[in-house]
Every structure is written in structure tokens, then in C-alpha cells.
Amino acid sequence: MTDDADTRLQTSARGWLTLQLATLGFAGLCGALKSGGTGGSGAPRAVEAVAGVLVLLALGVACAATYLVARIAWPVHAPRTEDAVRAGRRLRLGIGLTFLAVLLVAVAASTAWWPQEATSQAGAGAGAGALVEVSTTAGTWCGTLRPSGGDVPGLEVTDGGQTVDIPLGEVTALRPVGTCGA
């Protein structure tokens, strides 16, 4: 290969190195966010552990990929003509490992969208923050909010276990309460 081909290979490697450093930063940020979370994702402990291992694995793969590409981008010795083919293979391997690292981080980050367990119904085991008092022009209801389709929030009322659907536009006040009816 010519010096021109070696220069193009180095230029390409330097461009990819920028992307790899961003990947390393992203993997590190995901690891920091994963370990710094206060409430957790709601995923089972085993899934959380696998996600943590995947973030660490992604970091290791990104480091290996960066090393491979950096050796081409800034060679210690002047490249020899017979090494150009090997350098091209190392560059492709480094690029492939970069994509693998991004994939591993994406899979690990997906645990953030693990569905939360539903809060228990009013009564046995309901925490103080689970109950709300909703006031409208038609009256006041106390109970736990439950999801419903559309723009009508559902409120499951604790007295008699009846369910009342209150349109969002009719709510004049909403406040958390410790107990209902007192």
C-alpha cells in the first residue's frame, strides 16, 4: 500500500476514535446512573444484576475497541506496507466492537422501562401516600387513583368499594391523605 492509503486508514481510524470515546462516555454515564438511582427500576434483582454486568461488559468491550482503533490512528512505529491489510482488519474489528458495546449498553438501559408493580388496593397494606382526596364541584371522594383510558382518571373509592370515574376537567383539588373518612 502507498503512503496515501496509510494516511486514509489513519484518518478513518481517528474519526472512528471520536465515536468510540463518545461510546465510552455513554457506557460510563449509564453505569453511573444505574448505580446512583435511588428508587431502582422496579426490575427483579436478577435483571438488575444482569444489567449491571452488561454495562461493565460494554465498558470493557468499548475499551478494547478503542485500543484497537487508537493503534491505527496514532501508530507508535511507521506502518509497513505488509501491515496495511492487518491494520484494516483491526480497524473493522474495532468498529464492530464499538457497535457491540452500544448494543450492550442499550440492552442494559432497557431495564429502566421495567413495569412497576401495582400498588396494593386501599385497605390492607396501602401506604400513607397511596390515598388521595379528590374534590370536584359535585363532591369529594377519597381513595386510590387507578389508571384508565383517555382523559378520565379513575378513582377507586374506599367507602363501600365503589368506583367513581371523575373527568379531569371537573377536578378542583387533589391532595394526598393518610386515611379516608376522618
Side-chain angles (χ1 to χ4, degrees):
M1 290 189 115
T2 65
D3 286 338
D4 186 42
D6 288 338
T7 303
R8 285 187 311 200
L9 193 61
Q10 285 180 346
T11 302
S12 176
R14 288 176 182 164
W16 277 102
L17 198 57
T18 302
L19 176 68
Q20 288 178 316
L21 293 176
T23 302
L24 272 171
F26 184 62
L29 177 66
C30 286
L33 292 176
K34 192 102 187 99
S35 66
T38 55
S41 69
R45 195 163 196 61
V47 173
E48 290 273 336
V50 168
V53 168
L54 286 176
V55 167
L56 290 175
L57 184 61
L59 188 60
V61 168
C63 285
T66 302
Y67 172 76
L68 286 171
V69 174
R71 284 186 53 199
I72 299 162
W74 286 284
V76 177
H77 303 290
R80 295 188 311 244
T81 305
E82 64 270 8
D83 287 341
V85 173
R86 287 179 45 209
R89 284 189 207 133
R90 282 196 307 264
L91 179 59
R92 283 189 297 277
L93 178 61
I95 291 168
L97 288 176
T98 301
F99 285 113
L100 177 62
V102 170
L103 177 70
L104 290 172
V105 169
V107 170
S110 69
T111 62
W113 292 288
W114 195 274
Q116 298 287 335
E117 287 188 26
T119 56
S120 61
Q121 297 296 330
L131 298 174
V132 294
E133 184 177 272
V134 178
S135 298
T136 67
T137 54
T140 301
W141 291 273
C142 183
T144 57
L145 289 176
R146 63 169 174 78
S148 64
D151 61 343
V152 180
L155 175 69
E156 189 167 48
V157 178
T158 54
D159 342 337
Q162 75 184 52
T163 300
V164 178
D165 285 329
I166 304 169
L168 188 58
E170 293 181 15
V171 175
T172 58
L174 177 70
R175 67 181 185 99
V177 294
T179 59
C180 288

